[in-house]
């Protein structure tokens, strides 16, 4: 019975009435069995004269309990125990479940209770009743608990079926619909998520559009650039160094009433180039009624200055500016001093024939690049330095071989897209789009996003062909300004 072997004498012992009132059939049966067990184990203890060896609970050696957990021999199941029966044969029986364990403990409690003869009968009855009740509670708990996870699983299955078969608004006729407030909440959540995703998709579409436009522009630029084969086959490009720097003078009239146009007429008369043979390369009107006269050589300029002074005109010599170079992708940690020191010290072979007084270099500004560790550095250098480094194409700076290119002296405002000033000194109230010329940034330009071809606002204003971006190097207005800016720069 219950995995226990009762001693042979147990059957001969007299039966006692139940100590606890029966509540359930099974429980009352159990109680009677436990009582029987208690009597049976008590019997050998009472009759010490009997010859049969007593292998009851008292004879179990210290340290080992009648109920012991298996180690290694059985699978690691928490609810599996081996009960050592109080018999010589030591039969091992496996009991499963908490109620079985509880039952075993209950037997043990009653066994010990009946062995403690000195305890009062009332106390014994109370403890016995409490143990019975505890066992009942455990049984009840075990029969109720396993149901709950099953119920949960069933309800979740219903939900899945409802969503799958009946859709969001129609409830399935087979399965009862979930409470309406849950349904509404679910729909609301789904709607919110859908709206969120729609926003993401919109953003992505816009970004993809921008990317496509960037790629198109890049391709167009590459198409315009001559290929290696074309370069090898065609005429070599005229070097910037071969472009003559003009030696110019600024001419103004002493009479403040005279306009720039009148000053220009007086210059024409005074120089009288057709008869005197004086060579003037360019003449242009500037701000404040000034007229700039440029000559190819210093000698020609001297002749012009002499004639103009005789005609009562104010003549001012314009000092040519030093050209600019750009050092590309220089490691940012190099200070301005480091760069200047490296230019002179690490590239001595380039400047072997440059006199010390002709060696000039100063840092103008740095330009950020995508890689935060690098930057472009723009330097103003003497014409001698400019011609050497642009011809070499690269210089050494600290632990780098840095690319060097000519840098245009023309400044274009990134806000109003005008020339001759930078964004910092811009006086225009609105930022203009380089793609269409309207008052917004190119990144948010609807025409650019839609892939419409660009319109240069500067060329539109000048009535020229404007089918290009306002930053395009091929822009006609830009080229005019570039020529003006370079006219005051000495490249040799
Ligand atoms: Zn501006
Ligand atoms: Zn635009
Ligand atoms: Zn243009």
């Amino acid at each position: 019975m219950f995995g226990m072997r009762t001693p042979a004498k147990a059957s001969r012992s007299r039966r006692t009435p139940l100590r606890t009132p029966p509540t359930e059939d099974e429980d009352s049966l159990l109680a009677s069995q436990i009582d029987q067990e208690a009597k049976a184990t008590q019997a050998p203890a009472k009759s010490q004269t009997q010859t049969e060896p007593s292998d009851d609970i008292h004879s179990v050696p210290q340290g080992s309990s009648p109920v012991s957990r298996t180690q290694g021999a059985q699978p690691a199941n928490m609810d599996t125990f081996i009960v050592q029966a109080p018999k010589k044969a030591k039969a091992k029986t496996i009991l499963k479940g908490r109620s079985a364990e509880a039952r075993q403990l209950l037997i043990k409690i009653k066994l010990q209770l009946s062995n403690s003869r000195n305890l009062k009968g009332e106390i014994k009855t109370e403890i016995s009743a409490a143990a019975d009740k505890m066992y009942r509670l455990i049984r009840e708990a075990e029969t109720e608990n396993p149901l709950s996870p099953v119920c949960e699983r069933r309800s979740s299955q219903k939900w899945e079926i409802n969503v799958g078969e009946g859709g969001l608004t129609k409830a399935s006729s087979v399965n009862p619909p979930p409470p309406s407030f849950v349904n509404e909440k679910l729909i609301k959540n789904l709607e919110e998520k859908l709206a969120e995703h729609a926003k993401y998709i919109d953003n992505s579409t816009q970004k993809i559009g921008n990317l496509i436009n960037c790629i198109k522009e890049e391709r167009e630029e590459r198409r315009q650039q001559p290929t290696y084969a074309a370069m090898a086959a065609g005429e070599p490009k005229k070097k910037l160094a071969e472009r003559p720097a003009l030696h110019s003078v600024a001419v103004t009239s002493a009479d403040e009433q005279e306009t720039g146009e009148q000053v220009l007429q007086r210059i024409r008369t005074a120089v009288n180039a057709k008869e005197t043979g004086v060579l003037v390369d360019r003449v242009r009107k500037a701000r404040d009624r000034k007229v700039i006269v440029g000559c190819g050589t210093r000698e020609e300029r001297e002749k012009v200055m002499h004639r103009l002074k005789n005609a009562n005109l104010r003549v001012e010599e314009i000092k040519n500016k030093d050209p600019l170079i750009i050092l590309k992708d220089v490691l940012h940690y190099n200070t301005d001093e480091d760069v200047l020191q490296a230019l002179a010290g690490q590239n001595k072979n380039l400047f072997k024939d440059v006199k010390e007084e002709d060696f000039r270099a100063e840092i103008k500004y740095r330009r950020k690049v995508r890689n935060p560790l690098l930057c472009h550095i723009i330097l103003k250098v003497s014409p001698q330095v400019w011609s050497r480094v642009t011809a070499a194409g690269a210089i050494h700076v600290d632990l780098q071989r840095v690319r060097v290119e000519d840098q245009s002296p023309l400044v274009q405002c990134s806000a109003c897209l005008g020339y001759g000033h930078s964004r910092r000194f811009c006086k225009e109230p609105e930022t203009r789009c380089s793609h269409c010329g309207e008052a917004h940034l190119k990144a948010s330009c609807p025409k650019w996003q839609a892939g419409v071809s660009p319109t240069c606002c500067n060329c539109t204003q000048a009535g020229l062909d404007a089918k290009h971006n306002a930053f395009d190097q091929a822009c006609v207005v830009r080229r005019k300004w570039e020529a003006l800016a370079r006219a005051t720069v000495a490249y040799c």
Side-chain angles (χ1 to χ4, degrees):
M1 289 291 271
F2 304 110
M4 301 285 288
R5 280 197 184 178
T6 51
K9 284 176 188 172
S11 58
R12 290 197 295 270
S13 65
R14 67 184 168 85
R15 303 194 69 153
T16 50
L18 292 173
R19 282 177 191 177
T20 49
T23 48
E24 276 177 39
D25 286 346
E26 200 186 341
D27 284 331
S28 59
L29 181 67
L30 174 74
S32 67
Q33 281 161 358
I34 288 163
D35 279 346
Q36 211 176 342
E37 293 268 347
K39 293 285 166 202
T41 44
Q42 248 178 332
K46 277 178 188 171
S47 54
Q48 292 291 330
T49 52
Q50 279 178 343
T51 50
E52 207 175 41
S54 64
D55 269 336
D56 63 5
I57 196 152
H58 300 291
S59 64
V60 174
Q62 270 199 337
S64 71
S65 81
V67 180
S68 67
R69 200 169 284 249
T70 56
Q71 284 180 350
Q74 298 290 330
N77 186 349
M78 291 295 281
D79 295 326
T80 309
F81 292 89
I82 291 172
V83 178
Q84 290 177 348
K87 189 76 184 154
K88 242 182 187 175
K90 293 196 177 177
K92 288 178 183 175
T93 314
I94 297 163
L95 291 181
K96 285 181 182 172
R98 272 195 202 109
S99 65
E101 191 185 354
R103 183 201 290 269
Q104 206 57 47
L105 288 169
L106 185 64
I107 291 167
K108 194 185 167 189
I109 289 167
K110 296 220 169 176
L111 204 69
Q112 297 291 357
L113 260 180
S114 55
N115 282 342
S116 55
R117 270 165 272 154
N118 291 338
L119 269 176
K120 277 189 175 178
E122 276 174 33
I123 299 170
K124 274 188 187 177
T125 316
E126 283 295 311
I127 293 172
S128 179
D132 281 338
K133 200 174 178 188
M134 187 189 73
Y135 172 66
R136 247 194 336 271
L137 287 172
I138 290 168
R139 284 289 313 265
E140 278 167 19
E142 200 165 60
T143 48
E144 280 168 14
N145 272 344
L147 277 174
S148 49
V150 176
C151 291
E152 275 171 27
R153 219 178 303 132
R154 275 184 195 153
S155 66
S156 70
Q157 276 167 353
K158 268 185 202 169
W159 270 101
E160 280 163 22
I161 291 162
N162 276 342
V163 173
E165 289 180 0
L168 292 174
T169 47
K170 249 172 86 179
S172 166
S173 58
V174 180
N175 298 291
S180 61
F181 73 92
V182 179
N183 217 346
E184 275 170 27
K185 206 176 166 190
L186 181 74
I187 291 166
K188 208 181 162 195
N189 269 345
L190 285 171
E191 277 175 351
E192 275 170 14
K193 277 188 180 159
L194 274 175
E196 213 175 293
H197 278 267
K199 219 189 277 173
Y200 284 138
I201 291 167
D202 273 357
N203 275 344
S204 301
T205 314
Q206 199 180 324
K207 278 178 187 167
I208 290 166
N210 291 356
L211 263 176
I212 290 170
N213 284 328
C214 281
I215 292 165
K216 270 188 196 167
E217 281 171 12
E218 187 89 18
R219 273 191 192 157
E220 187 61 27
E221 263 175 40
R222 288 207 180 161
R223 204 172 52 78
Q224 283 171 2
Q225 277 171 6
T227 60
Y228 175 77
M231 288 279 277
E235 285 280 306
K237 213 176 161 188
K238 200 185 174 190
K239 273 188 175 179
L240 279 165
E242 289 166 23
R243 196 168 42 203
L246 291 177
H247 301 275
S248 309
V249 285
V251 187
T252 45
S253 171
D255 180 2
E256 288 191 3
Q257 300 301 311
E258 269 186 321
T259 62
E261 189 57 41
Q262 284 169 317
V263 174
L264 185 60
Q265 284 306 320
R266 282 182 63 189
I267 292 168
R268 283 189 72 195
T269 319
V271 174
N272 194 12
K274 278 176 272 180
E275 287 181 20
T276 57
V278 172
L279 298 175
V280 173
D281 281 32
R282 184 159 53 196
V283 64
R284 68 177 172 93
K285 286 185 278 182
R287 277 175 297 187
D288 303 328
R289 302 177 295 115
K290 266 186 195 170
V291 176
I292 313 295
V293 181
C295 301
T297 60
R298 281 201 174 86
E299 294 74 43
E300 291 302 314
R301 184 170 67 174
E302 284 303 314
K303 286 182 203 167
V304 170
M305 281 173 79
H306 179 72
R307 288 186 162 271
L308 293 176
K309 276 174 187 166
N310 286 344
N312 272 333
L313 285 162
R314 282 190 205 151
V315 182
E316 211 181 310
E317 200 177 313
I318 295 174
K319 218 177 164 229
N320 278 338
K321 290 176 203 152
D322 276 339
L324 302 176
I325 54 167
I326 180 166
L327 308 187
K328 292 206 159 172
D329 299 320
V330 184
L331 280 163
H332 210 289
Y333 63 69
N334 288 294
T335 63
D336 289 359
E337 289 71 39
D338 288 341
V339 174
L340 292 176
Q341 216 180 327
L343 176 69
Q346 288 182 259
N347 304 281
K348 281 180 178 155
N349 58 327
L350 286 179
F351 310 119
K352 274 182 291 194
D353 55 343
V354 176
K355 289 179 208 156
E356 208 176 308
E357 63 264 29
D358 289 336
F359 190 97
R360 289 190 302 277
E362 60 169 303
I363 308 280
K364 292 301 284 182
Y365 57 94
R366 287 172 185 238
R367 196 184 289 164
K368 279 182 191 170
V369 292
R370 274 192 196 140
N371 185 339
L373 298 175
L374 305 175
C375 66
H376 294 339
I377 303 178
I378 289 87
L379 285 93
K380 195 179 209 178
V381 293
S382 60
Q384 292 80 1
V385 172
W386 180 88
S387 61
R388 304 300 187 286
V389 294
T390 50
I395 59 161
H396 283 96
V397 176
D398 195 31
L399 305 176
Q400 273 186 293
R401 190 164 184 270
V402 174
R403 234 167 357 116
V404 186
E405 285 172 15
D406 166 66
Q407 170 68 32
S408 169
L410 180 63
V411 183
Q412 184 173 14
C413 176
S414 60
C416 75
L417 309 174
Y419 292 99
H421 68 272
S422 66
R423 184 187 195 93
R424 223 190 323 162
F425 301 102
C426 184
K427 284 168 188 165
E428 293 294 321
E430 275 176 337
T431 299
R432 295 177 92 179
C433 170
S434 67
H435 191 79
C436 74
E438 279 163 32
H440 51 245
L441 288 172
K442 186 191 168 189
S444 53
C445 177
K447 284 182 184 167
W448 181 61
Q449 280 164 5
V452 177
S453 55
T455 314
C456 168
C457 55
N458 293 321
C459 286
T460 308
Q461 224 171 331
L464 299 163
D465 175 30
K467 292 245 171 280
H468 54 263
N469 187 282
F471 289 125
D472 199 318
Q473 299 288 310
C475 170
V476 177
V477 173
R478 184 190 173 87
R479 267 151 61 182
K480 279 184 182 172
W481 277 91
E482 174 113 23
L484 275 179
R486 286 196 188 272
T488 56
V489 176
Y491 288 95
C492 56

